[in-house]
Amino acid sequence: MLVNTFEIKSKGGLHARPAALFVQECNNFESEIEVQKGQHRINGKSIIGVMALAVETGESIEVFVEGPDEEEAMKAIEAFLAKQVD
């Protein structure tokens, strides 16, 4: 299992369009992907779950990836969040 912490820097946080694109990115991989903010952990492949976290600009999330393509998945998530999608 890989775990990484990311600060969300996009102006709109991880809402609406960025959340949908994040979920699309996660769904490209077989590994299980979970996202945690505070005490709440959700399935990273669920748009409703990602939206429910209500991640704002400047907040941090932890991403947990476990499975056969976990390294590729974590790299892709890191690259996606670094793009600052708004």
Side-chain angles (χ1 to χ4, degrees), residues 6 14 17-36 42-47 49-50 53 61-70 72-81 83:
F6 300 98
L14 202 53
R17 184 171 179 267
L21 294 172
F22 178 83
V23 169
Q24 284 178 350
E25 188 68 41
C26 290
N27 278 307
N28 288 327
F29 300 96
E30 186 178 337
S31 294
E32 291 187 27
I33 300 170
E34 295 182 328
V35 179
Q36 182 169 328
I42 55 89
N43 180 349
K45 297 181 180 183
S46 165
I47 185 67
V50 174
L53 285 180
I61 59 171
E62 281 188 287
V63 177
F64 301 81
V65 183
E66 184 170 20
D69 54 359
E70 62 187 21
E72 295 85 4
M74 187 63 84
K75 287 178 186 175
I77 291 167
E78 184 174 2
F80 173 83
L81 292 173
K83 285 193 284 185

